[in-house]
Amino acid sequence: APTQAPTEAPTEAPTQAPTVRLTVNVVPYGVLGSALGSSGSAHPPGDNVAIVDPAGLQFIEANEPAKAGGASGAIYGELELTSFPEAVTSSVVKEGDAAVHAYPGKFSVVHVASPVLGRIGDNAEAQETLTNAYRNVFRAFASQHVATELRLLPISGGIFAGHFSEDLPQMSADAVRKAFKSLAANEQSFFSGAQVKMCIFDPEDFPTYQQAFPSVSG
């Protein structure tokens, strides 16, 4: 009998490559368009921009934006926000949750409850927690049809970072990359027509984030 050619084992489908390659541009100003020490805003967000609010969960739970400080306080002040929209308070109920809302005459905001990384001892757990927060930000952004520019900032920065503060630039870059790769194809495709910026308010932090983020680009 003729020798039968060996049957090739069926190959598993390769892991789906991202349909869109995410490029994150690191810029030397905060989400509202100004840098620490500068006067005024050189890059104010328009109605085509969604900015990330690194919210403290307690302020959303209590519905008291006026008590927030830092970047969140500046955002709420710019919006003259006295209470959060119901869509935000009903969706953001635990750390890492995110919800987007378009504020008429201003800009859109992705409110995300910043995880308190300082409470986490394990590096891998902290990284996954941060990745989940960025994933939810990306999903919220991809669910709306107003903004075409997303202004990120370092989620869980400042007092939220705790003992991870020195590692946060690289952790943020890794979290952004992993979060984007975990999105569904239709969510990734939304970003093909969008600009994504990582906004760094403090000039001293800018070189560190610029160095960390080339791994995300391309």
Side-chain angles (χ1 to χ4, degrees):
T3 305
Q4 190 175 17
T7 305
E8 291 187 12
T11 56
E12 291 186 12
T15 304
Q16 185 184 17
T19 55
V20 176
R21 307 193 91 176
L22 181 68
T23 298
V24 179
N25 295 311
V26 182
V27 295
Y29 51 83
V31 290
L32 292 174
S34 61
L36 181 65
S38 67
S39 58
S41 174
H43 307 276
D47 58 8
N48 67 318
V49 175
I51 70 175
V52 170
D53 161 33
L57 180 60
Q58 71 270 31
F59 300 116
I60 294 178
E61 287 178 330
N63 206 351
E64 293 182 324
K67 292 190 176 180
S72 292
I75 292 168
Y76 306 154
E78 181 68 24
L79 293 172
E80 300 178 346
L81 196 64
T82 56
S83 64
F84 292 102
E86 193 278 332
V88 174
T89 57
S90 63
S91 299
V92 182
V93 296
K94 63 182 184 299
E95 290 182 8
D97 284 350
V100 65
H101 184 79
Y103 291 89
K106 293 288 188 176
F107 42 80
S108 296
V109 179
V110 181
H111 299 277
V112 58
S114 285
V116 183
L117 298 182
R119 295 179 187 156
I120 302 173
D122 180 68
N123 286 22
E125 182 184 350
Q127 183 67 65
E128 179 49 40
T129 299
L130 191 60
T131 299
N132 180 61
Y134 279 103
R135 181 186 301 117
N136 290 335
V137 165
F138 287 154
R139 284 181 171 154
F141 181 66
S143 73
Q144 54 81 51
H145 303 285
V146 177
T148 56
E149 178 183 316
L150 175 62
R151 293 187 180 183
L152 300 169
L153 44 57
I155 297 172
S156 298
I159 59 172
F160 293 97
H163 54 280
F164 291 104
S165 57
E166 288 189 8
D167 299 324
L168 194 63
Q170 191 58 54
M171 288 176 68
S172 300
D174 291 344
V176 166
R177 177 176 50 83
K178 291 175 182 176
F180 186 76
K181 284 185 175 181
S182 71
L183 297 179
N186 64 314
E187 292 171 326
Q188 290 179 353
S189 67
F190 182 85
F191 287 81
S192 62
Q195 282 189 312
V196 181
K197 297 176 179 177
M198 172 58 76
C199 299
I200 306 301
F201 180 64
D202 189 337
E204 290 189 3
D205 294 334
F206 180 69
T208 315
Y209 278 90
Q210 207 174 26
Q211 186 176 5
F213 268 82
S215 61
V216 174
S217 303

